[in-house]
Amino acid sequence: MPITPATATHSSSNGTVDTIMLELVDENGVTVGTAEKLAAHQPPGQLHRAFSVFLFDERGRLLLQQRALGKYHSPGVWSNTCCGHPYPGEAPFAAAARRTYEELGVSPSLLAEAGTVRYNHPDPESGLVEQEYNHLFVGLVQSPLRPDADEVGDTAFVTAAELAERHARDPFSTWFLTVLDAARPAIRELTGPSAGW
């Protein structure tokens, strides 16, 4: 994992990762404290700041990510391009760009804010709860992907029609449709009407 200013304080010199803290927020997205990452996802869940990224290629196809099998939360399921949590005090935009690079090895050629969405999604497989105030971002990817195998099991670029087919047959994250629907206005503005989003 590349060490950036945002991750430097979260990685120790011996290569082990320190406890990851999340930013707890109120219903308006105002910071009210912090919690350890796993603790924030234990039932009933603590409302925390998150982000979701939707990147598209020049043909208007969405980049999907299959989460690596080794992940403790929602392993092996498909989801949006990248999602995660800002560190306390880290801007959501900076966190989105950082994690996209860390997970997929690319920096978006365009990344724009696409609103926020609040949700509460229990994951029946893990028993964990996604209680999130999620900042949405849409953008373009124009460089070859270099996924981190510890984070990403597979990737796929899909059209809107292909996504519908894939969603009907493959497992997806519990939050995927919520964040996709919330980001659709910005996605349509980015990709144009002919892309079908």
Side-chain angles (χ1 to χ4, degrees):
M1 176 175 85
I3 303 298
T4 66
T7 60
T9 57
H10 299 275
S11 300
S12 61
S13 59
N14 65 5
T16 61
V17 178
D18 296 332
T19 300
I20 297 174
M21 301 298 288
L22 305 185
E23 198 168 82
L24 300 179
V25 299
D26 66 14
E27 293 291 335
N28 297 310
V30 176
T31 303
V32 295
T34 61
E36 189 275 326
K37 182 178 178 181
L38 186 56
H41 290 87
Q42 297 291 337
Q46 295 175 281
L47 183 59
H48 58 274
R49 194 176 309 284
F51 65 82
S52 289
V53 177
F54 295 85
L55 296 183
F56 294 81
D57 67 7
E58 291 156 338
R59 294 166 49 191
R61 297 180 304 168
L62 171 61
L63 173 58
L64 294 178
Q65 175 189 142
Q66 184 183 36
R67 295 167 62 84
L69 291 175
K71 294 181 83 74
Y72 75 88
H73 188 352
S74 302
V77 302
W78 288 90
S79 199
N80 49 292
T81 307
C82 180
C83 53
H85 309 92
Y87 293 125
E90 182 183 24
F93 183 92
R98 171 179 59 80
R99 284 303 289 163
T100 299
Y101 183 80
E102 290 172 352
E103 292 186 10
L104 295 160
V106 293
S107 296
S109 55
L110 170 75
L111 191 64
E113 294 183 15
T116 59
V117 63
R118 158 76 165 95
Y119 55 79
N120 179 358
H121 287 303
D123 177 30
E125 293 294 318
S126 67
L128 300 175
V129 178
E130 287 292 359
Q131 181 95 247
E132 294 185 331
Y133 187 94
N134 199 308
H135 297 256
L136 307 170
F137 299 92
V138 300
L140 297 174
V141 60
Q142 296 174 305
S143 305
L145 304 178
R146 292 175 287 119
D148 178 347
D150 290 336
E151 299 285 345
V152 181
D154 199 1
T155 59
F157 282 96
V158 296
T159 65
E162 290 166 345
L163 174 61
E165 293 171 10
R166 185 179 286 261
H167 192 271
R169 71 169 192 262
D170 294 335
F172 272 73
S173 64
T174 59
W175 62 86
F176 176 73
L177 286 181
T178 300
V179 293
L180 175 65
D181 287 345
R184 277 188 198 275
I187 290 170
R188 289 182 184 126
E189 187 174 331
L190 175 73
T191 61
S194 63
W197 292 102

PDB file of all heavy atoms in Angstrom, residues 66-87:
ATOM      1  N   GLN A  66     -15.004  -6.233  -7.596  1.00  0.00           N
ATOM      2  CA  GLN A  66     -15.364  -7.356  -6.741  1.00  0.00           C
ATOM      3  C   GLN A  66     -14.432  -7.317  -5.535  1.00  0.00           C
ATOM      4  O   GLN A  66     -13.206  -7.313  -5.688  1.00  0.00           O
ATOM      5  CB  GLN A  66     -15.212  -8.683  -7.475  1.00  0.00           C
ATOM      6  CG  GLN A  66     -15.675  -9.869  -6.642  1.00  0.00           C
ATOM      7  CD  GLN A  66     -15.448 -11.186  -7.347  1.00  0.00           C
ATOM      8  OE1 GLN A  66     -14.454 -11.364  -8.049  1.00  0.00           O
ATOM      9  NE2 GLN A  66     -16.369 -12.115  -7.170  1.00  0.00           N
ATOM     10  N   ARG A  67     -15.009  -7.276  -4.357  1.00  0.00           N
ATOM     11  CA  ARG A  67     -14.217  -7.182  -3.143  1.00  0.00           C
ATOM     12  C   ARG A  67     -13.430  -8.473  -2.925  1.00  0.00           C
ATOM     13  O   ARG A  67     -13.945  -9.572  -3.157  1.00  0.00           O
ATOM     14  CB  ARG A  67     -15.131  -6.876  -1.951  1.00  0.00           C
ATOM     15  CG  ARG A  67     -15.790  -5.495  -2.084  1.00  0.00           C
ATOM     16  CD  ARG A  67     -16.932  -5.305  -1.104  1.00  0.00           C
ATOM     17  NE  ARG A  67     -16.513  -5.374   0.276  1.00  0.00           N
ATOM     18  CZ  ARG A  67     -16.015  -4.358   0.961  1.00  0.00           C
ATOM     19  NH1 ARG A  67     -15.860  -3.173   0.376  1.00  0.00           N
ATOM     20  NH2 ARG A  67     -15.681  -4.494   2.228  1.00  0.00           N
ATOM     21  N   ALA A  68     -12.187  -8.344  -2.487  1.00  0.00           N
ATOM     22  CA  ALA A  68     -11.323  -9.510  -2.289  1.00  0.00           C
ATOM     23  C   ALA A  68     -11.931 -10.472  -1.272  1.00  0.00           C
ATOM     24  O   ALA A  68     -12.626 -10.063  -0.335  1.00  0.00           O
ATOM     25  CB  ALA A  68      -9.943  -9.051  -1.829  1.00  0.00           C
ATOM     26  N   LEU A  69     -11.651 -11.750  -1.457  1.00  0.00           N
ATOM     27  CA  LEU A  69     -12.195 -12.776  -0.569  1.00  0.00           C
ATOM     28  C   LEU A  69     -11.660 -12.662   0.851  1.00  0.00           C
ATOM     29  O   LEU A  69     -12.295 -13.135   1.792  1.00  0.00           O
ATOM     30  CB  LEU A  69     -11.890 -14.171  -1.133  1.00  0.00           C
ATOM     31  CG  LEU A  69     -12.648 -14.524  -2.416  1.00  0.00           C
ATOM     32  CD1 LEU A  69     -12.169 -15.869  -2.953  1.00  0.00           C
ATOM     33  CD2 LEU A  69     -14.152 -14.551  -2.171  1.00  0.00           C
ATOM     34  N   GLY A  70     -10.504 -12.028   1.030  1.00  0.00           N
ATOM     35  CA  GLY A  70      -9.915 -11.904   2.353  1.00  0.00           C
ATOM     36  C   GLY A  70     -10.463 -10.765   3.189  1.00  0.00           C
ATOM     37  O   GLY A  70     -10.096 -10.620   4.362  1.00  0.00           O
ATOM     38  N   LYS A  71     -11.354  -9.953   2.647  1.00  0.00           N
ATOM     39  CA  LYS A  71     -11.888  -8.814   3.401  1.00  0.00           C
ATOM     40  C   LYS A  71     -12.870  -9.320   4.462  1.00  0.00           C
ATOM     41  O   LYS A  71     -13.642 -10.241   4.208  1.00  0.00           O
ATOM     42  CB  LYS A  71     -12.575  -7.823   2.469  1.00  0.00           C
ATOM     43  CG  LYS A  71     -11.591  -7.141   1.503  1.00  0.00           C
ATOM     44  CD  LYS A  71     -12.279  -6.152   0.599  1.00  0.00           C
ATOM     45  CE  LYS A  71     -12.469  -4.810   1.234  1.00  0.00           C
ATOM     46  NZ  LYS A  71     -11.245  -4.016   1.352  1.00  0.00           N
ATOM     47  N   TYR A  72     -12.820  -8.693   5.652  1.00  0.00           N
ATOM     48  CA  TYR A  72     -13.687  -9.160   6.736  1.00  0.00           C
ATOM     49  C   TYR A  72     -15.143  -8.770   6.518  1.00  0.00           C
ATOM     50  O   TYR A  72     -16.048  -9.380   7.077  1.00  0.00           O
ATOM     51  CB  TYR A  72     -13.184  -8.636   8.094  1.00  0.00           C
ATOM     52  CG  TYR A  72     -13.461  -7.179   8.358  1.00  0.00           C
ATOM     53  CD1 TYR A  72     -14.648  -6.759   8.945  1.00  0.00           C
ATOM     54  CD2 TYR A  72     -12.532  -6.192   8.002  1.00  0.00           C
ATOM     55  CE1 TYR A  72     -14.910  -5.423   9.172  1.00  0.00           C
ATOM     56  CE2 TYR A  72     -12.780  -4.865   8.232  1.00  0.00           C
ATOM     57  CZ  TYR A  72     -13.966  -4.482   8.828  1.00  0.00           C
ATOM     58  OH  TYR A  72     -14.223  -3.159   9.045  1.00  0.00           O
ATOM     59  N   HIS A  73     -15.374  -7.747   5.709  1.00  0.00           N
ATOM     60  CA  HIS A  73     -16.735  -7.245   5.497  1.00  0.00           C
ATOM     61  C   HIS A  73     -17.096  -7.392   4.026  1.00  0.00           C
ATOM     62  O   HIS A  73     -16.399  -6.898   3.148  1.00  0.00           O
ATOM     63  CB  HIS A  73     -16.797  -5.776   5.918  1.00  0.00           C
ATOM     64  CG  HIS A  73     -18.184  -5.200   5.940  1.00  0.00           C
ATOM     65  ND1 HIS A  73     -19.291  -5.855   5.466  1.00  0.00           N
ATOM     66  CD2 HIS A  73     -18.640  -4.010   6.393  1.00  0.00           C
ATOM     67  CE1 HIS A  73     -20.353  -5.092   5.617  1.00  0.00           C
ATOM     68  NE2 HIS A  73     -19.983  -3.969   6.181  1.00  0.00           N
ATOM     69  N   SER A  74     -18.170  -8.115   3.742  1.00  0.00           N
ATOM     70  CA  SER A  74     -18.693  -8.302   2.383  1.00  0.00           C
ATOM     71  C   SER A  74     -17.630  -8.828   1.412  1.00  0.00           C
ATOM     72  O   SER A  74     -17.448  -8.281   0.321  1.00  0.00           O
ATOM     73  CB  SER A  74     -19.288  -6.987   1.860  1.00  0.00           C
ATOM     74  OG  SER A  74     -20.309  -6.536   2.716  1.00  0.00           O
ATOM     75  N   PRO A  75     -16.919  -9.901   1.767  1.00  0.00           N
ATOM     76  CA  PRO A  75     -15.920 -10.443   0.842  1.00  0.00           C
ATOM     77  C   PRO A  75     -16.566 -11.081  -0.383  1.00  0.00           C
ATOM     78  O   PRO A  75     -17.645 -11.680  -0.286  1.00  0.00           O
ATOM     79  CB  PRO A  75     -15.195 -11.498   1.686  1.00  0.00           C
ATOM     80  CG  PRO A  75     -16.221 -11.952   2.675  1.00  0.00           C
ATOM     81  CD  PRO A  75     -17.030 -10.715   2.990  1.00  0.00           C
ATOM     82  N   GLY A  76     -15.917 -10.934  -1.532  1.00  0.00           N
ATOM     83  CA  GLY A  76     -16.348 -11.624  -2.748  1.00  0.00           C
ATOM     84  C   GLY A  76     -17.544 -11.045  -3.464  1.00  0.00           C
ATOM     85  O   GLY A  76     -17.927 -11.545  -4.516  1.00  0.00           O
ATOM     86  N   VAL A  77     -18.156  -9.995  -2.921  1.00  0.00           N
ATOM     87  CA  VAL A  77     -19.324  -9.420  -3.590  1.00  0.00           C
ATOM     88  C   VAL A  77     -18.887  -8.280  -4.513  1.00  0.00           C
ATOM     89  O   VAL A  77     -17.825  -7.693  -4.339  1.00  0.00           O
ATOM     90  CB  VAL A  77     -20.387  -8.906  -2.590  1.00  0.00           C
ATOM     91  CG1 VAL A  77     -20.858 -10.017  -1.673  1.00  0.00           C
ATOM     92  CG2 VAL A  77     -19.871  -7.722  -1.782  1.00  0.00           C
ATOM     93  N   TRP A  78     -19.707  -7.995  -5.495  1.00  0.00           N
ATOM     94  CA  TRP A  78     -19.448  -6.889  -6.412  1.00  0.00           C
ATOM     95  C   TRP A  78     -19.999  -5.604  -5.816  1.00  0.00           C
ATOM     96  O   TRP A  78     -20.977  -5.623  -5.066  1.00  0.00           O
ATOM     97  CB  TRP A  78     -20.090  -7.159  -7.767  1.00  0.00           C
ATOM     98  CG  TRP A  78     -19.372  -8.225  -8.526  1.00  0.00           C
ATOM     99  CD1 TRP A  78     -19.625  -9.571  -8.474  1.00  0.00           C
ATOM    100  CD2 TRP A  78     -18.272  -8.048  -9.422  1.00  0.00           C
ATOM    101  NE1 TRP A  78     -18.734 -10.237  -9.284  1.00  0.00           N
ATOM    102  CE2 TRP A  78     -17.907  -9.337  -9.882  1.00  0.00           C
ATOM    103  CE3 TRP A  78     -17.570  -6.938  -9.870  1.00  0.00           C
ATOM    104  CZ2 TRP A  78     -16.859  -9.517 -10.778  1.00  0.00           C
ATOM    105  CZ3 TRP A  78     -16.534  -7.123 -10.765  1.00  0.00           C
ATOM    106  CH2 TRP A  78     -16.187  -8.403 -11.218  1.00  0.00           C
ATOM    107  N   SER A  79     -19.374  -4.495  -6.174  1.00  0.00           N
ATOM    108  CA  SER A  79     -19.838  -3.198  -5.692  1.00  0.00           C
ATOM    109  C   SER A  79     -19.358  -2.108  -6.640  1.00  0.00           C
ATOM    110  O   SER A  79     -18.816  -2.405  -7.713  1.00  0.00           O
ATOM    111  CB  SER A  79     -19.334  -2.949  -4.261  1.00  0.00           C
ATOM    112  OG  SER A  79     -20.109  -1.933  -3.644  1.00  0.00           O
ATOM    113  N   ASN A  80     -19.568  -0.869  -6.244  1.00  0.00           N
ATOM    114  CA  ASN A  80     -19.138   0.261  -7.064  1.00  0.00           C
ATOM    115  C   ASN A  80     -17.616   0.304  -7.144  1.00  0.00           C
ATOM    116  O   ASN A  80     -16.920  -0.497  -6.520  1.00  0.00           O
ATOM    117  CB  ASN A  80     -19.734   1.564  -6.533  1.00  0.00           C
ATOM    118  CG  ASN A  80     -19.546   1.724  -5.046  1.00  0.00           C
ATOM    119  OD1 ASN A  80     -20.132   0.979  -4.261  1.00  0.00           O
ATOM    120  ND2 ASN A  80     -18.722   2.678  -4.649  1.00  0.00           N
ATOM    121  N   THR A  81     -17.088   1.236  -7.908  1.00  0.00           N
ATOM    122  CA  THR A  81     -15.663   1.303  -8.193  1.00  0.00           C
ATOM    123  C   THR A  81     -14.811   1.255  -6.940  1.00  0.00           C
ATOM    124  O   THR A  81     -13.833   0.507  -6.854  1.00  0.00           O
ATOM    125  CB  THR A  81     -15.336   2.590  -8.971  1.00  0.00           C
ATOM    126  OG1 THR A  81     -16.189   2.676 -10.114  1.00  0.00           O
ATOM    127  CG2 THR A  81     -13.883   2.622  -9.398  1.00  0.00           C
ATOM    128  N   CYS A  82     -15.156   2.053  -5.955  1.00  0.00           N
ATOM    129  CA  CYS A  82     -14.384   2.124  -4.723  1.00  0.00           C
ATOM    130  C   CYS A  82     -15.281   2.701  -3.637  1.00  0.00           C
ATOM    131  O   CYS A  82     -16.098   3.577  -3.909  1.00  0.00           O
ATOM    132  CB  CYS A  82     -13.157   3.015  -4.928  1.00  0.00           C
ATOM    133  SG  CYS A  82     -12.097   3.196  -3.479  1.00  0.00           S
ATOM    134  N   CYS A  83     -15.128   2.197  -2.433  1.00  0.00           N
ATOM    135  CA  CYS A  83     -15.845   2.775  -1.298  1.00  0.00           C
ATOM    136  C   CYS A  83     -14.985   2.619  -0.055  1.00  0.00           C
ATOM    137  O   CYS A  83     -14.090   1.778  -0.006  1.00  0.00           O
ATOM    138  CB  CYS A  83     -17.210   2.132  -1.111  1.00  0.00           C
ATOM    139  SG  CYS A  83     -17.187   0.352  -1.000  1.00  0.00           S
ATOM    140  N   GLY A  84     -15.249   3.450   0.932  1.00  0.00           N
ATOM    141  CA  GLY A  84     -14.453   3.386   2.155  1.00  0.00           C
ATOM    142  C   GLY A  84     -14.817   4.497   3.104  1.00  0.00           C
ATOM    143  O   GLY A  84     -15.912   5.071   3.020  1.00  0.00           O
ATOM    144  N   HIS A  85     -13.877   4.805   3.978  1.00  0.00           N
ATOM    145  CA  HIS A  85     -14.122   5.775   5.043  1.00  0.00           C
ATOM    146  C   HIS A  85     -12.963   6.757   5.129  1.00  0.00           C
ATOM    147  O   HIS A  85     -11.805   6.324   5.158  1.00  0.00           O
ATOM    148  CB  HIS A  85     -14.231   5.050   6.386  1.00  0.00           C
ATOM    149  CG  HIS A  85     -15.181   3.897   6.375  1.00  0.00           C
ATOM    150  ND1 HIS A  85     -14.779   2.609   6.096  1.00  0.00           N
ATOM    151  CD2 HIS A  85     -16.518   3.847   6.583  1.00  0.00           C
ATOM    152  CE1 HIS A  85     -15.826   1.812   6.151  1.00  0.00           C
ATOM    153  NE2 HIS A  85     -16.890   2.530   6.441  1.00  0.00           N
ATOM    154  N   PRO A  86     -13.256   8.045   5.197  1.00  0.00           N
ATOM    155  CA  PRO A  86     -12.180   9.003   5.477  1.00  0.00           C
ATOM    156  C   PRO A  86     -11.646   8.782   6.894  1.00  0.00           C
ATOM    157  O   PRO A  86     -12.383   8.359   7.786  1.00  0.00           O
ATOM    158  CB  PRO A  86     -12.867  10.365   5.385  1.00  0.00           C
ATOM    159  CG  PRO A  86     -14.176  10.120   4.715  1.00  0.00           C
ATOM    160  CD  PRO A  86     -14.554   8.707   5.030  1.00  0.00           C
ATOM    161  N   TYR A  87     -10.376   9.054   7.096  1.00  0.00           N
ATOM    162  CA  TYR A  87      -9.849   9.090   8.448  1.00  0.00           C
ATOM    163  C   TYR A  87     -10.412  10.327   9.137  1.00  0.00           C
ATOM    164  O   TYR A  87     -10.807  11.291   8.468  1.00  0.00           O
ATOM    165  CB  TYR A  87      -8.321   9.173   8.425  1.00  0.00           C
ATOM    166  CG  TYR A  87      -7.656   7.936   7.884  1.00  0.00           C
ATOM    167  CD1 TYR A  87      -6.766   8.021   6.826  1.00  0.00           C
ATOM    168  CD2 TYR A  87      -7.915   6.678   8.437  1.00  0.00           C
ATOM    169  CE1 TYR A  87      -6.146   6.878   6.325  1.00  0.00           C
ATOM    170  CE2 TYR A  87      -7.304   5.537   7.941  1.00  0.00           C
ATOM    171  CZ  TYR A  87      -6.413   5.650   6.889  1.00  0.00           C
ATOM    172  OH  TYR A  87      -5.809   4.532   6.397  1.00  0.00           O
TER     173      TYR A  87
END
